[in-house]
C-alpha cells in the first residue's frame, strides 16, 4: 500500500487507544503487514529497489532519485497530516501522529535493509516479502480501492470511538 494509506490505518487504530502511545505504535507497526497482504497498487520507484535481493548501496544522486524521494516524502507527510485531520483531538494528536508514523516505518526499514542487510532487518524483510500481496492491481483500480479502503477504515474507526 502507499504510505498515506498505511498512515490513515495507523492513525485510525491509534484513535481507538488515544491514551496508550506504546500500544498505538505497536499496533500501527503491525497494521502495516496486515494491510500489505491485501492485493494493491504501489507507485513505481525506478531508482530505489526494495524487491528481493535489492542492494541500494550503489544508489547515485540524480534527478530520478530526487523525484522518488519527493514522492515518498509527500506521500508520508500527506498521510500523517490526513490521519491527524481525520482522527486527532488536541489531546490525542501526538498519539495519532505516532500511530500513523509507526504504520509507515516498515517500508523505510526495507530500504535500510537494502543498504545494511543485518539482523533483525533480515528477518523483518523476509516476513515483509512473505506477507506482501503477490498480486498487483492496475493503477486505476489500485488508487480507487485504496481511497475506498481509507474511507471504510475512517468510518469504522469513528463508529468504534
Ligand atoms: Zn510495506
Amino acid at each position: 500500500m502507499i504510505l498515506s494509506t498505511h498512515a490513515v490505518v495507523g492513525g485510525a487504530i491509534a484513535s481507538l487507544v488515544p491514551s496508550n502511545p506504546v500500544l498505538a505504535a505497536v499496533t500501527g507497526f503491525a497494521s502495516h503487514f496486515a494491510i500489505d497482504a491485501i492485493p494493491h497498487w504501489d507507485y513505481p520507484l525506478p531508482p530505489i529497489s526494495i524487491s528481493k535481493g535489492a542492494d541500494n548501496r550503489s544508489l547515485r544522486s540524480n534527478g530520478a532519485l530526487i523525484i522518488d524521494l519527493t514522492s515518498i516524502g509527500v506521500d508520508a507527510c500527506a498521510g500523517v497530516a490526513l490521519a491527524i485531520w481525520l482522527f486527532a483531538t488536541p489531546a490525542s494528536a501526538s498519539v495519532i501522529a505516532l500511530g500513523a508514523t509507526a504504520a509507515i516505518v516498515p517500508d523505510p526499514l526495507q530500504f535500510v535493509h537494502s543498504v545494511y542487510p543485518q539482523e533483525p532487518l533480515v528477518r523483518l524483510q523476509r516476513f515483509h516479502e512473505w506477507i506482501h500481496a503477490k498480486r498487483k492491481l492496475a493503477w486505476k483500480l489500485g488508487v480507487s480501492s485504496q481511497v475506498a479502503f481509507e474511507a471504510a477504515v475512517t468510518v469504522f474507526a469513528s463508529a468504534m470511538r
Side-chain angles (χ1 to χ4, degrees), residues 1-3 6 32-33 35-37 40 42 50 103-108 110 128-129 131-132:
M1 298 271 183
I2 66 169
L3 299 178
H6 284 296
H32 184 106
F33 303 100
I35 70 167
D36 258 358
H40 60 272
D42 285 309
I50 50 170
I104 288 174
V105 163
D107 277 346
Q110 288 193 284
H128 204 154
E129 282 169 7
I131 202 156
H132 196 279

Side-chain angles (χ1 to χ4, degrees), residues 108-120:
L109 286 180
Q110 288 193 284
F111 178 79
V112 176
H113 169 266
S114 76
V115 293
Y116 185 73
Q118 303 296 322
E119 292 294 355

Side-chain angles (χ1 to χ4, degrees), residues 127-149:
F127 177 69
H128 204 154
E129 282 169 7
W130 172 77
I131 202 156
H132 196 279
K134 307 298 177 274
R135 203 176 133 230
K136 278 196 147 209
L137 299 184
W139 76 268
K140 275 185 189 164
L141 178 62
V143 171
S144 52
S145 62
Q146 285 192 52
V147 170
F149 180 67

Side-chain angles (χ1 to χ4, degrees), residues 66-130:
I66 290 168
I67 290 172
D68 269 13
L69 294 176
T70 305
S71 309
I72 293 167
V74 168
D75 185 11
C77 292
V80 174
L82 186 60
I84 291 171
W85 181 68
L86 286 169
F87 305 112
T89 64
S92 69
S94 58
V95 176
I96 302 296
L98 179 67
T101 305
I104 288 174
V105 163
D107 277 346
L109 286 180
Q110 288 193 284
F111 178 79
V112 176
H113 169 266
S114 76
V115 293
Y116 185 73
Q118 303 296 322
E119 292 294 355
L121 296 173
V122 173
R123 273 170 206 275
L124 190 69
Q125 177 67 14
R126 209 177 293 147
F127 177 69
H128 204 154
E129 282 169 7
W130 172 77

